[in-house]
PDB file of all heavy atoms in Angstrom:
ATOM      1  N   PHE A  71      25.854 -83.239  58.869  1.00  0.00           N
ATOM      2  CA  PHE A  71      24.698 -82.972  59.730  1.00  0.00           C
ATOM      3  C   PHE A  71      24.523 -83.985  60.717  1.00  0.00           C
ATOM      4  O   PHE A  71      23.524 -83.911  61.537  1.00  0.00           O
ATOM      5  CB  PHE A  71      23.416 -82.715  58.875  1.00  0.00           C
ATOM      6  CG  PHE A  71      23.533 -81.584  57.949  1.00  0.00           C
ATOM      7  CD1 PHE A  71      24.269 -81.513  56.748  1.00  0.00           C
ATOM      8  CD2 PHE A  71      22.848 -80.370  58.314  1.00  0.00           C
ATOM      9  CE1 PHE A  71      24.329 -80.385  55.982  1.00  0.00           C
ATOM     10  CE2 PHE A  71      22.916 -79.213  57.589  1.00  0.00           C
ATOM     11  CZ  PHE A  71      23.661 -79.213  56.388  1.00  0.00           C
ATOM     12  N   ILE A  88      20.541 -87.602  66.545  1.00  0.00           N
ATOM     13  CA  ILE A  88      21.334 -86.347  66.554  1.00  0.00           C
ATOM     14  C   ILE A  88      21.524 -85.932  67.978  1.00  0.00           C
ATOM     15  O   ILE A  88      21.891 -84.672  68.171  1.00  0.00           O
ATOM     16  CB  ILE A  88      20.774 -85.282  65.635  1.00  0.00           C
ATOM     17  CG1 ILE A  88      19.308 -84.976  65.917  1.00  0.00           C
ATOM     18  CG2 ILE A  88      20.907 -85.645  64.158  1.00  0.00           C
ATOM     19  CD1 ILE A  88      18.686 -83.804  65.249  1.00  0.00           C
ATOM     20  N   TYR A  90      19.834 -85.581  72.227  1.00  0.00           N
ATOM     21  CA  TYR A  90      18.670 -85.021  72.799  1.00  0.00           C
ATOM     22  C   TYR A  90      17.291 -85.717  72.490  1.00  0.00           C
ATOM     23  O   TYR A  90      16.192 -85.180  72.533  1.00  0.00           O
ATOM     24  CB  TYR A  90      18.393 -83.509  72.530  1.00  0.00           C
ATOM     25  CG  TYR A  90      19.712 -82.730  72.882  1.00  0.00           C
ATOM     26  CD1 TYR A  90      20.794 -82.558  71.897  1.00  0.00           C
ATOM     27  CD2 TYR A  90      19.962 -82.134  74.116  1.00  0.00           C
ATOM     28  CE1 TYR A  90      21.868 -81.927  72.151  1.00  0.00           C
ATOM     29  CE2 TYR A  90      21.191 -81.498  74.399  1.00  0.00           C
ATOM     30  CZ  TYR A  90      22.144 -81.361  73.499  1.00  0.00           C
ATOM     31  OH  TYR A  90      23.324 -80.730  73.686  1.00  0.00           O
ATOM     32  N   GLN A  92      16.496 -86.765  69.652  1.00  0.00           N
ATOM     33  CA  GLN A  92      15.900 -86.313  68.344  1.00  0.00           C
ATOM     34  C   GLN A  92      16.581 -87.085  67.189  1.00  0.00           C
ATOM     35  O   GLN A  92      17.645 -87.647  67.435  1.00  0.00           O
ATOM     36  CB  GLN A  92      16.058 -84.709  68.193  1.00  0.00           C
ATOM     37  CG  GLN A  92      15.455 -83.983  69.342  1.00  0.00           C
ATOM     38  CD  GLN A  92      13.954 -84.369  69.748  1.00  0.00           C
ATOM     39  OE1 GLN A  92      13.222 -84.624  68.805  1.00  0.00           O
ATOM     40  NE2 GLN A  92      13.672 -84.516  70.963  1.00  0.00           N
ATOM     41  N   THR A  93      16.074 -86.892  66.034  1.00  0.00           N
ATOM     42  CA  THR A  93      16.641 -87.630  64.862  1.00  0.00           C
ATOM     43  C   THR A  93      16.722 -86.672  63.675  1.00  0.00           C
ATOM     44  O   THR A  93      15.893 -85.769  63.597  1.00  0.00           O
ATOM     45  CB  THR A  93      15.822 -88.905  64.447  1.00  0.00           C
ATOM     46  OG1 THR A  93      14.379 -88.495  64.286  1.00  0.00           O
ATOM     47  CG2 THR A  93      15.822 -89.902  65.538  1.00  0.00           C
ATOM     48  N   ILE A  94      17.619 -86.925  62.744  1.00  0.00           N
ATOM     49  CA  ILE A  94      17.634 -86.317  61.402  1.00  0.00           C
ATOM     50  C   ILE A  94      16.700 -87.335  60.589  1.00  0.00           C
ATOM     51  O   ILE A  94      16.876 -88.625  60.711  1.00  0.00           O
ATOM     52  CB  ILE A  94      19.057 -86.264  60.838  1.00  0.00           C
ATOM     53  CG1 ILE A  94      18.961 -85.682  59.449  1.00  0.00           C
ATOM     54  CG2 ILE A  94      19.869 -87.621  60.872  1.00  0.00           C
ATOM     55  CD1 ILE A  94      20.477 -85.381  58.848  1.00  0.00           C
ATOM     56  N   SER A  95      15.776 -86.847  59.874  1.00  0.00           N
ATOM     57  CA  SER A  95      14.723 -87.711  59.161  1.00  0.00           C
ATOM     58  C   SER A  95      15.315 -88.549  58.070  1.00  0.00           C
ATOM     59  O   SER A  95      16.431 -88.278  57.558  1.00  0.00           O
ATOM     60  CB  SER A  95      13.680 -86.876  58.508  1.00  0.00           C
ATOM     61  OG  SER A  95      13.142 -85.996  59.541  1.00  0.00           O
ATOM     62  N   VAL A 100      12.561 -86.904  53.689  1.00  0.00           N
ATOM     63  CA  VAL A 100      12.926 -85.451  53.376  1.00  0.00           C
ATOM     64  C   VAL A 100      12.552 -85.091  51.948  1.00  0.00           C
ATOM     65  O   VAL A 100      12.016 -84.041  51.708  1.00  0.00           O
ATOM     66  CB  VAL A 100      14.400 -85.246  53.651  1.00  0.00           C
ATOM     67  CG1 VAL A 100      14.797 -83.789  53.345  1.00  0.00           C
ATOM     68  CG2 VAL A 100      14.701 -85.475  55.236  1.00  0.00           C
ATOM     69  N   GLU A 117      10.250 -73.741  58.544  1.00  0.00           N
ATOM     70  CA  GLU A 117      10.377 -75.076  59.000  1.00  0.00           C
ATOM     71  C   GLU A 117      10.123 -75.004  60.527  1.00  0.00           C
ATOM     72  O   GLU A 117      10.770 -74.161  61.243  1.00  0.00           O
ATOM     73  CB  GLU A 117      11.732 -75.604  58.619  1.00  0.00           C
ATOM     74  CG  GLU A 117      11.962 -77.066  59.266  1.00  0.00           C
ATOM     75  CD  GLU A 117      13.296 -77.601  59.169  1.00  0.00           C
ATOM     76  OE1 GLU A 117      14.250 -76.784  59.143  1.00  0.00           O
ATOM     77  OE2 GLU A 117      13.446 -78.810  59.123  1.00  0.00           O
ATOM     78  N   ILE A 118       9.421 -75.932  61.050  1.00  0.00           N
ATOM     79  CA  ILE A 118       9.326 -76.168  62.486  1.00  0.00           C
ATOM     80  C   ILE A 118      10.005 -77.475  62.779  1.00  0.00           C
ATOM     81  O   ILE A 118       9.583 -78.406  62.359  1.00  0.00           O
ATOM     82  CB  ILE A 118       7.882 -76.140  63.038  1.00  0.00           C
ATOM     83  CG1 ILE A 118       7.059 -74.872  62.439  1.00  0.00           C
ATOM     84  CG2 ILE A 118       7.754 -76.187  64.524  1.00  0.00           C
ATOM     85  CD1 ILE A 118       7.654 -73.587  62.883  1.00  0.00           C
ATOM     86  N   GLY A 119      11.094 -77.310  63.583  1.00  0.00           N
ATOM     87  CA  GLY A 119      11.885 -78.520  64.022  1.00  0.00           C
ATOM     88  C   GLY A 119      13.168 -78.506  63.216  1.00  0.00           C
ATOM     89  O   GLY A 119      13.358 -79.418  62.309  1.00  0.00           O
ATOM     90  N   THR A 120      14.071 -77.674  63.520  1.00  0.00           N
ATOM     91  CA  THR A 120      15.307 -77.500  62.769  1.00  0.00           C
ATOM     92  C   THR A 120      16.212 -78.680  62.803  1.00  0.00           C
ATOM     93  O   THR A 120      16.847 -79.199  61.894  1.00  0.00           O
ATOM     94  CB  THR A 120      16.244 -76.249  63.295  1.00  0.00           C
ATOM     95  OG1 THR A 120      15.369 -75.167  63.476  1.00  0.00           O
ATOM     96  CG2 THR A 120      17.401 -75.996  62.342  1.00  0.00           C
ATOM     97  N   GLY A 121      16.181 -79.382  64.110  1.00  0.00           N
ATOM     98  CA  GLY A 121      17.003 -80.467  64.317  1.00  0.00           C
ATOM     99  C   GLY A 121      18.501 -80.199  63.872  1.00  0.00           C
ATOM    100  O   GLY A 121      19.156 -79.387  64.486  1.00  0.00           O
ATOM    101  N   SER A 122      18.952 -81.012  63.002  1.00  0.00           N
ATOM    102  CA  SER A 122      20.383 -80.877  62.523  1.00  0.00           C
ATOM    103  C   SER A 122      20.524 -79.669  61.582  1.00  0.00           C
ATOM    104  O   SER A 122      21.610 -79.298  61.271  1.00  0.00           O
ATOM    105  CB  SER A 122      20.758 -82.192  61.810  1.00  0.00           C
ATOM    106  OG  SER A 122      20.008 -82.315  60.612  1.00  0.00           O
ATOM    107  N   GLY A 123      19.419 -79.310  60.873  1.00  0.00           N
ATOM    108  CA  GLY A 123      19.505 -78.259  59.926  1.00  0.00           C
ATOM    109  C   GLY A 123      19.475 -78.847  58.540  1.00  0.00           C
ATOM    110  O   GLY A 123      19.608 -77.999  57.521  1.00  0.00           O
ATOM    111  N   TYR A 124      19.410 -80.078  58.427  1.00  0.00           N
ATOM    112  CA  TYR A 124      19.497 -80.803  57.099  1.00  0.00           C
ATOM    113  C   TYR A 124      18.331 -80.333  56.103  1.00  0.00           C
ATOM    114  O   TYR A 124      18.520 -80.043  55.014  1.00  0.00           O
ATOM    115  CB  TYR A 124      19.563 -82.233  57.155  1.00  0.00           C
ATOM    116  CG  TYR A 124      19.557 -83.011  55.934  1.00  0.00           C
ATOM    117  CD1 TYR A 124      20.790 -83.143  55.166  1.00  0.00           C
ATOM    118  CD2 TYR A 124      18.498 -83.703  55.416  1.00  0.00           C
ATOM    119  CE1 TYR A 124      20.850 -83.793  53.955  1.00  0.00           C
ATOM    120  CE2 TYR A 124      18.534 -84.378  54.200  1.00  0.00           C
ATOM    121  CZ  TYR A 124      19.770 -84.424  53.492  1.00  0.00           C
ATOM    122  OH  TYR A 124      19.774 -85.026  52.236  1.00  0.00           O
ATOM    123  N   GLN A 125      17.162 -80.548  56.641  1.00  0.00           N
ATOM    124  CA  GLN A 125      15.911 -80.177  55.775  1.00  0.00           C
ATOM    125  C   GLN A 125      16.064 -78.690  55.360  1.00  0.00           C
ATOM    126  O   GLN A 125      15.676 -78.240  54.175  1.00  0.00           O
ATOM    127  CB  GLN A 125      14.682 -80.429  56.531  1.00  0.00           C
ATOM    128  CG  GLN A 125      13.390 -79.814  55.881  1.00  0.00           C
ATOM    129  CD  GLN A 125      12.858 -80.722  54.777  1.00  0.00           C
ATOM    130  OE1 GLN A 125      12.363 -81.818  55.000  1.00  0.00           O
ATOM    131  NE2 GLN A 125      13.007 -80.254  53.554  1.00  0.00           N
ATOM    132  N   ALA A 126      16.399 -77.771  56.181  1.00  0.00           N
ATOM    133  CA  ALA A 126      16.563 -76.359  55.928  1.00  0.00           C
ATOM    134  C   ALA A 126      17.636 -76.104  54.838  1.00  0.00           C
ATOM    135  O   ALA A 126      17.387 -75.321  53.882  1.00  0.00           O
ATOM    136  CB  ALA A 126      16.984 -75.604  57.154  1.00  0.00           C
ATOM    137  N   MET A 139      12.774 -72.863  63.036  1.00  0.00           N
ATOM    138  CA  MET A 139      12.720 -72.849  64.537  1.00  0.00           C
ATOM    139  C   MET A 139      12.903 -74.231  65.198  1.00  0.00           C
ATOM    140  O   MET A 139      12.413 -75.261  64.724  1.00  0.00           O
ATOM    141  CB  MET A 139      11.276 -72.295  64.978  1.00  0.00           C
ATOM    142  CG  MET A 139      11.035 -70.913  64.375  1.00  0.00           C
ATOM    143  SD  MET A 139       9.327 -70.346  64.965  1.00  0.00           S
ATOM    144  CE  MET A 139       9.687 -70.187  66.668  1.00  0.00           C
ATOM    145  N   GLU A 140      13.585 -74.218  66.243  1.00  0.00           N
ATOM    146  CA  GLU A 140      13.892 -75.432  66.963  1.00  0.00           C
ATOM    147  C   GLU A 140      13.649 -75.114  68.475  1.00  0.00           C
ATOM    148  O   GLU A 140      14.151 -74.217  69.046  1.00  0.00           O
ATOM    149  CB  GLU A 140      15.344 -75.859  66.777  1.00  0.00           C
ATOM    150  CG  GLU A 140      15.849 -76.992  67.592  1.00  0.00           C
ATOM    151  CD  GLU A 140      15.057 -78.219  67.632  1.00  0.00           C
ATOM    152  OE1 GLU A 140      14.699 -78.775  66.557  1.00  0.00           O
ATOM    153  OE2 GLU A 140      14.742 -78.667  68.756  1.00  0.00           O
ATOM    154  N   ILE A 141      13.049 -76.074  69.230  1.00  0.00           N
ATOM    155  CA  ILE A 141      12.622 -75.904  70.629  1.00  0.00           C
ATOM    156  C   ILE A 141      13.681 -76.289  71.519  1.00  0.00           C
ATOM    157  O   ILE A 141      13.744 -75.704  72.719  1.00  0.00           O
ATOM    158  CB  ILE A 141      11.265 -76.623  70.881  1.00  0.00           C
ATOM    159  CG1 ILE A 141      10.637 -76.013  72.128  1.00  0.00           C
ATOM    160  CG2 ILE A 141      11.552 -78.082  71.025  1.00  0.00           C
ATOM    161  CD1 ILE A 141       9.129 -76.448  72.331  1.00  0.00           C
ATOM    162  N   ILE A 142      14.587 -77.104  71.143  1.00  0.00           N
ATOM    163  CA  ILE A 142      15.777 -77.535  72.062  1.00  0.00           C
ATOM    164  C   ILE A 142      16.945 -76.587  71.810  1.00  0.00           C
ATOM    165  O   ILE A 142      17.475 -76.519  70.741  1.00  0.00           O
ATOM    166  CB  ILE A 142      16.221 -78.966  71.810  1.00  0.00           C
ATOM    167  CG1 ILE A 142      14.956 -79.801  72.122  1.00  0.00           C
ATOM    168  CG2 ILE A 142      17.391 -79.382  72.651  1.00  0.00           C
ATOM    169  CD1 ILE A 142      15.147 -81.375  71.864  1.00  0.00           C
ATOM    170  N   LEU A 145      20.262 -77.702  70.218  1.00  0.00           N
ATOM    171  CA  LEU A 145      20.243 -78.203  68.854  1.00  0.00           C
ATOM    172  C   LEU A 145      20.022 -76.914  67.987  1.00  0.00           C
ATOM    173  O   LEU A 145      20.592 -76.787  66.936  1.00  0.00           O
ATOM    174  CB  LEU A 145      18.894 -79.141  68.604  1.00  0.00           C
ATOM    175  CG  LEU A 145      19.087 -80.571  69.015  1.00  0.00           C
ATOM    176  CD1 LEU A 145      17.833 -81.303  68.903  1.00  0.00           C
ATOM    177  CD2 LEU A 145      20.301 -81.203  68.259  1.00  0.00           C
ATOM    178  N   GLY A 166      13.147 -71.634  69.680  1.00  0.00           N
ATOM    179  CA  GLY A 166      11.748 -71.262  70.138  1.00  0.00           C
ATOM    180  C   GLY A 166      10.749 -72.350  69.859  1.00  0.00           C
ATOM    181  O   GLY A 166      11.070 -73.252  69.040  1.00  0.00           O
ATOM    182  N   ASP A 167       9.524 -72.197  70.392  1.00  0.00           N
ATOM    183  CA  ASP A 167       8.505 -73.087  70.175  1.00  0.00           C
ATOM    184  C   ASP A 167       7.831 -72.744  68.878  1.00  0.00           C
ATOM    185  O   ASP A 167       7.246 -71.469  68.807  1.00  0.00           O
ATOM    186  CB  ASP A 167       7.543 -73.086  71.351  1.00  0.00           C
ATOM    187  CG  ASP A 167       6.269 -73.920  71.268  1.00  0.00           C
ATOM    188  OD1 ASP A 167       6.029 -74.446  70.152  1.00  0.00           O
ATOM    189  OD2 ASP A 167       5.493 -74.044  72.234  1.00  0.00           O
ATOM    190  N   GLY A 168       7.708 -73.570  67.971  1.00  0.00           N
ATOM    191  CA  GLY A 168       7.276 -73.217  66.561  1.00  0.00           C
ATOM    192  C   GLY A 168       5.714 -73.229  66.563  1.00  0.00           C
ATOM    193  O   GLY A 168       5.183 -73.007  65.466  1.00  0.00           O
ATOM    194  N   TYR A 169       5.016 -73.568  67.600  1.00  0.00           N
ATOM    195  CA  TYR A 169       3.573 -73.725  67.506  1.00  0.00           C
ATOM    196  C   TYR A 169       2.895 -72.509  66.950  1.00  0.00           C
ATOM    197  O   TYR A 169       1.934 -72.513  66.190  1.00  0.00           O
ATOM    198  CB  TYR A 169       2.942 -74.051  68.856  1.00  0.00           C
ATOM    199  CG  TYR A 169       1.518 -74.373  68.854  1.00  0.00           C
ATOM    200  CD1 TYR A 169       1.029 -75.654  68.677  1.00  0.00           C
ATOM    201  CD2 TYR A 169       0.502 -73.368  68.936  1.00  0.00           C
ATOM    202  CE1 TYR A 169      -0.291 -75.962  68.529  1.00  0.00           C
ATOM    203  CE2 TYR A 169      -0.783 -73.657  68.915  1.00  0.00           C
ATOM    204  CZ  TYR A 169      -1.253 -74.907  68.674  1.00  0.00           C
ATOM    205  OH  TYR A 169      -2.637 -75.258  68.610  1.00  0.00           O
ATOM    206  N   THR A 184       8.545 -80.932  61.130  1.00  0.00           N
ATOM    207  CA  THR A 184       9.199 -82.183  61.063  1.00  0.00           C
ATOM    208  C   THR A 184       9.133 -82.860  62.435  1.00  0.00           C
ATOM    209  O   THR A 184       9.969 -83.708  62.730  1.00  0.00           O
ATOM    210  CB  THR A 184      10.657 -81.942  60.669  1.00  0.00           C
ATOM    211  OG1 THR A 184      11.331 -81.154  61.665  1.00  0.00           O
ATOM    212  CG2 THR A 184      10.833 -81.297  59.328  1.00  0.00           C
ATOM    213  N   ALA A 185       8.173 -82.568  63.214  1.00  0.00           N
ATOM    214  CA  ALA A 185       7.752 -83.276  64.383  1.00  0.00           C
ATOM    215  C   ALA A 185       6.253 -83.593  64.496  1.00  0.00           C
ATOM    216  O   ALA A 185       5.512 -82.803  63.872  1.00  0.00           O
ATOM    217  CB  ALA A 185       8.211 -82.530  65.718  1.00  0.00           C
ATOM    218  N   PHE A 238       7.467 -89.937  63.419  1.00  0.00           N
ATOM    219  CA  PHE A 238       8.248 -88.799  63.654  1.00  0.00           C
ATOM    220  C   PHE A 238       8.476 -88.631  65.230  1.00  0.00           C
ATOM    221  O   PHE A 238       7.613 -89.176  65.899  1.00  0.00           O
ATOM    222  CB  PHE A 238       7.602 -87.517  63.112  1.00  0.00           C
ATOM    223  CG  PHE A 238       8.061 -87.261  61.629  1.00  0.00           C
ATOM    224  CD1 PHE A 238       7.376 -87.941  60.673  1.00  0.00           C
ATOM    225  CD2 PHE A 238       8.990 -86.342  61.468  1.00  0.00           C
ATOM    226  CE1 PHE A 238       7.724 -87.684  59.365  1.00  0.00           C
ATOM    227  CE2 PHE A 238       9.359 -86.019  60.065  1.00  0.00           C
ATOM    228  CZ  PHE A 238       8.778 -86.749  59.083  1.00  0.00           C
ATOM    229  N   VAL A 239       9.396 -87.963  65.668  1.00  0.00           N
ATOM    230  CA  VAL A 239       9.577 -87.581  67.077  1.00  0.00           C
ATOM    231  C   VAL A 239       8.471 -86.626  67.435  1.00  0.00           C
ATOM    232  O   VAL A 239       7.985 -85.883  66.510  1.00  0.00           O
ATOM    233  CB  VAL A 239      10.986 -86.965  67.442  1.00  0.00           C
ATOM    234  CG1 VAL A 239      12.059 -87.986  67.214  1.00  0.00           C
ATOM    235  CG2 VAL A 239      11.247 -85.765  66.500  1.00  0.00           C
ATOM    236  N   PRO A 240       8.044 -86.522  68.682  1.00  0.00           N
ATOM    237  CA  PRO A 240       6.887 -85.703  69.058  1.00  0.00           C
ATOM    238  C   PRO A 240       7.123 -84.204  68.956  1.00  0.00           C
ATOM    239  O   PRO A 240       8.238 -83.733  69.104  1.00  0.00           O
ATOM    240  CB  PRO A 240       6.578 -86.064  70.517  1.00  0.00           C
ATOM    241  CG  PRO A 240       7.508 -87.197  70.933  1.00  0.00           C
ATOM    242  CD  PRO A 240       8.614 -87.282  69.860  1.00  0.00           C
ATOM    243  N   PHE A 241       6.040 -83.525  68.561  1.00  0.00           N
ATOM    244  CA  PHE A 241       6.076 -82.073  68.658  1.00  0.00           C
ATOM    245  C   PHE A 241       5.770 -81.642  70.048  1.00  0.00           C
ATOM    246  O   PHE A 241       4.864 -82.217  70.731  1.00  0.00           O
ATOM    247  CB  PHE A 241       4.828 -81.573  67.830  1.00  0.00           C
ATOM    248  CG  PHE A 241       4.763 -80.160  67.524  1.00  0.00           C
ATOM    249  CD1 PHE A 241       5.183 -79.568  66.254  1.00  0.00           C
ATOM    250  CD2 PHE A 241       4.242 -79.210  68.423  1.00  0.00           C
ATOM    251  CE1 PHE A 241       5.037 -78.289  65.964  1.00  0.00           C
ATOM    252  CE2 PHE A 241       4.093 -77.850  68.134  1.00  0.00           C
ATOM    253  CZ  PHE A 241       4.488 -77.352  66.917  1.00  0.00           C
ATOM    254  N   THR A 242       6.716 -80.902  70.663  1.00  0.00           N
ATOM    255  CA  THR A 242       6.563 -80.572  72.080  1.00  0.00           C
ATOM    256  C   THR A 242       6.211 -79.063  72.307  1.00  0.00           C
ATOM    257  O   THR A 242       6.366 -78.304  71.220  1.00  0.00           O
ATOM    258  CB  THR A 242       7.834 -80.858  72.810  1.00  0.00           C
ATOM    259  OG1 THR A 242       8.944 -80.195  72.211  1.00  0.00           O
ATOM    260  CG2 THR A 242       8.135 -82.326  72.854  1.00  0.00           C
ATOM    261  N   ARG A 243       5.815 -78.635  73.404  1.00  0.00           N
ATOM    262  CA  ARG A 243       5.415 -77.345  73.659  1.00  0.00           C
ATOM    263  C   ARG A 243       6.373 -76.656  74.794  1.00  0.00           C
ATOM    264  O   ARG A 243       6.822 -77.393  75.569  1.00  0.00           O
ATOM    265  CB  ARG A 243       3.926 -77.145  74.079  1.00  0.00           C
ATOM    266  CG  ARG A 243       2.872 -77.725  73.076  1.00  0.00           C
ATOM    267  CD  ARG A 243       2.949 -76.837  71.799  1.00  0.00           C
ATOM    268  NE  ARG A 243       3.045 -75.489  71.899  1.00  0.00           N
ATOM    269  CZ  ARG A 243       2.101 -74.576  72.109  1.00  0.00           C
ATOM    270  NH1 ARG A 243       0.873 -75.027  72.143  1.00  0.00           N
ATOM    271  NH2 ARG A 243       2.278 -73.376  72.194  1.00  0.00           N
ATOM    272  N   ALA A 244       6.508 -75.457  74.617  1.00  0.00           N
ATOM    273  CA  ALA A 244       7.368 -74.659  75.635  1.00  0.00           C
ATOM    274  C   ALA A 244       6.848 -74.672  77.037  1.00  0.00           C
ATOM    275  O   ALA A 244       7.504 -74.609  78.043  1.00  0.00           O
ATOM    276  CB  ALA A 244       7.692 -73.344  75.137  1.00  0.00           C
TER     277      ALA A 244
HETATM  278  N1  SAH B 301      14.247 -81.322  60.302  1.00  0.00           N
HETATM  279  C1  SAH B 301      15.200 -81.923  61.142  1.00  0.00           C
HETATM  280  C2  SAH B 301      14.640 -83.150  61.817  1.00  0.00           C
HETATM  281  C3  SAH B 301      14.416 -82.815  63.287  1.00  0.00           C
HETATM  282  S1  SAH B 301      13.560 -83.962  64.216  1.00  0.00           S
HETATM  283  C4  SAH B 301      16.485 -82.282  60.358  1.00  0.00           C
HETATM  284  O1  SAH B 301      16.431 -82.148  59.179  1.00  0.00           O
HETATM  285  O2  SAH B 301      17.413 -82.684  60.994  1.00  0.00           O
HETATM  286  C5  SAH B 301      12.267 -82.785  64.836  1.00  0.00           C
HETATM  287  C6  SAH B 301      12.742 -81.650  65.632  1.00  0.00           C
HETATM  288  O3  SAH B 301      11.516 -80.949  66.048  1.00  0.00           O
HETATM  289  C7  SAH B 301      13.460 -82.019  66.933  1.00  0.00           C
HETATM  290  O4  SAH B 301      14.731 -81.387  66.935  1.00  0.00           O
HETATM  291  C8  SAH B 301      12.591 -81.415  67.965  1.00  0.00           C
HETATM  292  O5  SAH B 301      13.273 -80.835  69.128  1.00  0.00           O
HETATM  293  C9  SAH B 301      11.763 -80.252  67.240  1.00  0.00           C
HETATM  294  N2  SAH B 301      10.599 -79.756  67.839  1.00  0.00           N
HETATM  295  C10 SAH B 301       9.625 -80.509  68.495  1.00  0.00           C
HETATM  296  N3  SAH B 301       8.582 -79.697  68.871  1.00  0.00           N
HETATM  297  C11 SAH B 301       9.012 -78.435  68.408  1.00  0.00           C
HETATM  298  C12 SAH B 301       8.347 -77.227  68.512  1.00  0.00           C
HETATM  299  N4  SAH B 301       7.126 -76.997  69.145  1.00  0.00           N
HETATM  300  N5  SAH B 301       8.932 -76.108  67.961  1.00  0.00           N
HETATM  301  C13 SAH B 301      10.188 -76.213  67.280  1.00  0.00           C
HETATM  302  N6  SAH B 301      10.811 -77.373  67.237  1.00  0.00           N
HETATM  303  C14 SAH B 301      10.161 -78.433  67.720  1.00  0.00           C
END
Side-chain angles (χ1 to χ4, degrees):
F71 292 79
I88 54 171
Y90 307 90
Q92 308 306 320
T93 56
I94 177 173
S95 306
V100 174
E117 179 192 26
I118 307 302
T120 316
S122 67
Y124 179 76
Q125 170 77 74
M139 297 179 70
E140 169 56 53
I141 200 165
I142 298 176
L145 283 178
D167 179 352
Y169 186 91
T184 65
F238 273 81
V239 294
F241 191 99
T242 54
R243 298 299 317 277

